[in-house]
Amino acid sequence: MEQLYHENYELKEHLQALLYEQESIRLRLTEYIYQNQSEQEYLAGRIKSVRSQYEEYESQIKVIRKRTDSIGGSNSDSIQYETDGQIKAATKQKLIDSLFFVDTSTDSSKFFPTVFLLTYRYFATTKEVISDIHKTYSQTPISPNDSSFHLRATNFVKEWIKDFSYDFTSDDEAYRECSLLIDSLIATDNKWGEKWTMGKRLKESLESKKRETASKQDNKNIFSQPAPTPYLPKTCTGASPGRYSVLDFNPIEVARQLTLKDYDLCKAIQPKECLGLAWTKKDKATRSPNLLKMIDRFNHVSRWVTYTIVMEPNLKKRTKILSFFVQLIQHLYELNNFNAIFAIVGGFGNSAVHRLAKTFGGLKPDRKKLLDEMRFLTDPVKSWGNYRIKIGKVDPPCVPFIGVYQTDLTFIEEGNPDKFAGTDLINFKKCRMIADVILLIQRYQQKPYNLDLVDVVQQFLSDENVEARKIEDRVLYEHSLRAEPRQNQ
């Protein structure tokens, strides 16, 4: 069967080469449009020849597909493909087989293992997948002369442990099952000679990840440059003795400290938390704890902004506080912390703040311009089209606005079934769509910020968050009315 897949892969390579040649000829035809007629006729004839070969290879691929389908019954009953060769739907076993019996070096299939690892929890537990892989490995004849299956199995487990070790370190049954599979890989290595050592290294890697988790070891980030010097508060002008006001802090440092906290929360989000709208379910605290923390963080920052503005009775000082938050947004923008930007603009949009016309009217022109730009950036029109354009041009480090990805995941989940009606075929096209969103989140989890934690600022933000949550929306609106009474009063 693997030989058939190999033949299929070689034919696809020929097809790709012919497509390139055809395009090259078309370009030459354009280039020689004013050359002699014989040259044009030659090129036109060559195009016909290429097209003929292309059709011949396509027919051969169809024959190969039929031969493949005949092995163990009708393949179309257990797996379906897109026109570009990617898997559209399949049974669980066919998906597992495809990890090892399909050439994953082609453009259409090279991301298949990644998509599988990001989304397999739709149709199986970690233990079940490892157990099925172990069963497939045990039933497949292998030898040193044909080691491709052994190497693929070993490399797949290696990538799984490297990128998703928490699948095993947080699940004792899955850990034991993975250890048994690695023992089988090691047994094969031992039969084949001393140069085969990948299995032993896998065992060491798995055990190392387990020890790190048990000791709660957190690898510290190492940077080539020192972090920028923090800005510490020089005064303490809060409403009560020893209590800080937001105006006592440099907005640059507040932006840094918000960003450090936001990045840590974003980095902790695991792929499984994004599956099946886990953050909306009854058991969401168990299934999606880190994503929920990110959502709570957004709401808390937004609440803090609203609270800080409306609780200040003096118009002049209230305008200064509003101006501070606009400056804060500017520095968050420079740090690519879009989650906090959306939260602060959301705080401005709270009815208790939005109605404060005199307060907003007191902003300087440059602050008003910046605020308008940030409102444009965070406008939800066209599914946050302005923001999507911006973040598409941003390089990490970055904290994305998670709400956009939640919306995308919701549309995908509600618009696509997990399985196709009347079959046991898993909708793997949906899995790819979900994986695309998860990969966007993961892109911004890889590069940390080179900033120092400043305890006094973090403590202030934590204390203010506690105070803000004590005040009900009704009370906040009452303070807003006292600050700027309605015009008819």
Side-chain angles (χ1 to χ4, degrees):
M1 183 173 179
E2 187 169 1
Q3 179 61 31
L4 294 177
Y5 281 116
H6 182 69
E7 291 178 28
N8 192 27
Y9 168 68
E10 286 187 337
L11 287 170
K12 286 184 177 180
E13 288 288 294
H14 285 304
L15 285 175
Q16 193 64 41
L18 288 169
L19 285 172
Y20 283 136
E21 184 176 356
Q22 180 171 299
E23 183 60 25
S24 175
I25 293 170
R26 290 185 189 279
L27 290 173
R28 288 176 63 193
L29 269 175
T30 303
E31 190 176 318
Y32 283 96
I33 195 67
Y34 297 111
Q35 296 295 322
N36 61 65
Q37 183 67 25
S38 61
E39 175 69 12
Q40 292 183 36
E41 290 176 354
Y42 164 75
L43 291 172
R46 185 61 186 138
I47 282 182
K48 289 182 180 179
S49 175
V50 167
R51 185 178 293 124
S52 175
Q53 292 179 56
Y54 184 87
E55 291 172 354
E56 181 182 347
Y57 281 126
E58 273 196 320
S59 65
Q60 289 184 45
I61 283 181
K62 290 179 181 178
V63 172
I64 290 286
R65 178 64 56 79
K66 287 181 179 179
R67 290 167 60 196
T68 304
D69 290 348
S70 67
I71 298 176
S74 176
N75 203 42
S76 61
D77 292 339
S78 56
I79 190 166
Q80 296 176 6
Y81 295 91
E82 303 279 10
T83 55
D84 63 358
Q86 296 190 91
I87 295 174
K88 177 182 179 181
T91 61
K92 181 181 72 170
Q93 188 58 49
K94 276 295 180 182
L95 290 174
I96 290 174
D97 288 346
S98 297
L99 292 168
F100 311 114
F101 298 118
V102 174
D103 192 306
T104 55
S105 63
T106 61
D107 288 341
S108 62
S109 57
K110 65 183 178 182
F111 293 115
F112 172 72
T114 299
V115 175
F116 182 93
L117 287 174
L118 288 172
T119 62
Y120 72 85
R121 290 174 185 271
Y122 268 119
F123 48 84
T125 65
T126 304
K127 180 187 176 183
E128 288 171 346
V129 172
I130 286 291
S131 178
D132 287 344
I133 290 175
H134 196 176
K135 182 179 178 181
T136 300
Y137 182 82
S138 300
Q139 295 176 348
T140 303
I142 52 178
S143 71
N145 297 325
D146 185 13
S147 59
S148 59
F149 174 69
H150 176 68
L151 290 174
R152 286 181 184 176
T154 303
N155 284 324
F156 177 75
V157 177
K158 174 186 174 183
E159 292 303 310
W160 196 346
I161 294 172
K162 179 173 72 72
D163 295 334
F164 306 95
S165 61
Y166 46 76
D167 282 358
F168 309 110
T169 57
S170 61
D171 185 335
D172 290 340
E173 289 188 349
Y175 181 86
R176 285 193 292 272
E177 199 68 41
C178 186
S179 294
L180 291 174
L181 171 58
I182 294 175
D183 288 342
S184 294
L185 297 174
I186 292 174
T188 300
D189 287 346
N190 291 339
K191 289 179 183 178
W192 291 358
E194 294 181 356
K195 70 175 184 177
W196 296 88
T197 60
M198 290 181 65
K200 291 180 181 178
R201 292 200 295 271
L202 277 182
K203 192 81 166 182
E204 293 168 359
S205 177
L206 181 65
E207 292 173 349
S208 174
K209 294 290 186 181
K210 186 70 170 179
R211 288 193 298 271
E212 287 178 13
T213 301
S215 64
K216 296 183 179 180
Q217 180 178 340
D218 186 17
N219 296 325
K220 291 186 177 181
N221 300 311
I222 300 175
F223 300 97
S224 59
Q225 299 291 330
T229 303
Y231 293 94
L232 300 177
K234 297 180 180 179
T235 57
C236 189
T237 62
S240 58
R243 183 174 176 181
Y244 287 105
S245 161
V246 71
L247 297 177
D248 294 330
F249 296 91
N250 189 312
I252 294 176
E253 195 57 53
V254 176
R256 291 172 179 172
Q257 299 308 306
L258 285 172
T259 298
L260 280 173
K261 181 70 173 178
D262 288 353
Y263 174 77
D264 285 344
L265 292 173
C266 180
K267 183 182 179 181
I269 298 172
Q270 297 180 5
K272 63 182 180 181
E273 299 182 45
C274 301
L275 303 179
L277 304 180
W279 67 92
T280 68
K281 306 303 181 182
K282 289 183 179 180
D283 56 349
K284 58 187 177 183
T286 301
R287 293 175 58 185
S288 193
N290 298 300
L291 184 53
L292 284 178
K293 289 178 183 177
M294 194 73 181
I295 296 170
D296 288 343
R297 171 68 170 181
F298 179 94
N299 293 331
H300 294 163
V301 171
S302 186
R303 184 77 169 189
W304 166 58
V305 171
T306 299
Y307 162 81
T308 305
I309 293 172
V310 303
M311 295 300 287
E312 177 51 57
N314 182 276
L315 175 60
K316 186 176 180 180
K317 189 173 181 181
R318 191 167 61 250
T319 302
K320 283 186 178 180
I321 292 173
L322 177 61
S323 181
F324 173 92
F325 281 122
V326 176
Q327 283 182 279
L328 178 57
I329 289 177
Q330 180 178 9
H331 299 305
L332 289 167
Y333 186 81
E334 294 165 355
L335 289 168
N336 296 329
N337 185 351
F338 296 102
N339 202 65
I341 291 173
F342 272 82
I344 293 174
V345 174
F348 293 162
N350 184 287
S351 58
V353 176
H354 183 71
R355 62 174 299 278
L356 299 175
K358 293 180 180 178
T359 306
F360 281 97
L363 290 174
K364 294 180 180 179
D366 61 329
R367 297 281 191 273
K368 289 182 180 179
K369 181 176 182 294
L370 178 60
L371 180 55
D372 287 341
E373 291 172 353
M374 292 300 105
R375 282 173 170 163
F376 176 81
L377 174 70
T378 58
D379 193 330
V381 68
K382 294 183 179 179
S383 187
W384 291 283
N386 302 327
Y387 164 72
R388 291 181 192 271
I389 291 172
K390 173 59 185 176
I391 198 170
K393 301 175 182 177
V394 165
D395 292 323
C398 170
V399 182
F401 172 46
I402 295 297
V404 166
Y405 304 125
Q406 290 175 264
T407 301
D408 291 345
L409 290 168
T410 300
F411 274 108
I412 294 170
E413 290 284 0
E414 294 181 348
N416 300 273
D418 291 344
K419 290 187 176 182
F420 287 100
T423 74
D424 289 328
L425 300 186
I426 296 159
N427 186 352
F428 202 70
K429 181 177 181 179
K430 175 181 177 178
C431 292
R432 281 201 306 277
M433 295 166 69
I434 295 289
D436 286 341
V437 178
I438 296 174
L439 287 170
L440 285 175
I441 298 174
Q442 287 190 327
R443 178 172 184 251
Y444 303 112
Q445 293 178 317
Q446 309 305 315
K447 187 174 182 180
Y449 285 87
N450 183 15
L451 300 169
D452 286 334
L453 203 65
V454 180
D455 291 339
V456 65
V457 183
Q458 291 289 345
Q459 188 61 53
F460 168 77
L461 294 172
S462 177
D463 293 344
E464 288 291 284
N465 175 41
V466 172
E467 294 299 318
R469 283 187 289 167
K470 290 179 182 178
I471 310 298
E472 297 178 1
D473 288 340
R474 174 185 56 81
V475 176
L476 288 174
Y477 199 80
E478 290 173 355
H479 277 276
S480 175
L481 288 173
R482 283 195 289 270
E484 292 188 26
R486 292 191 179 98
Q487 293 297 319
N488 59 358
Q489 290 183 345

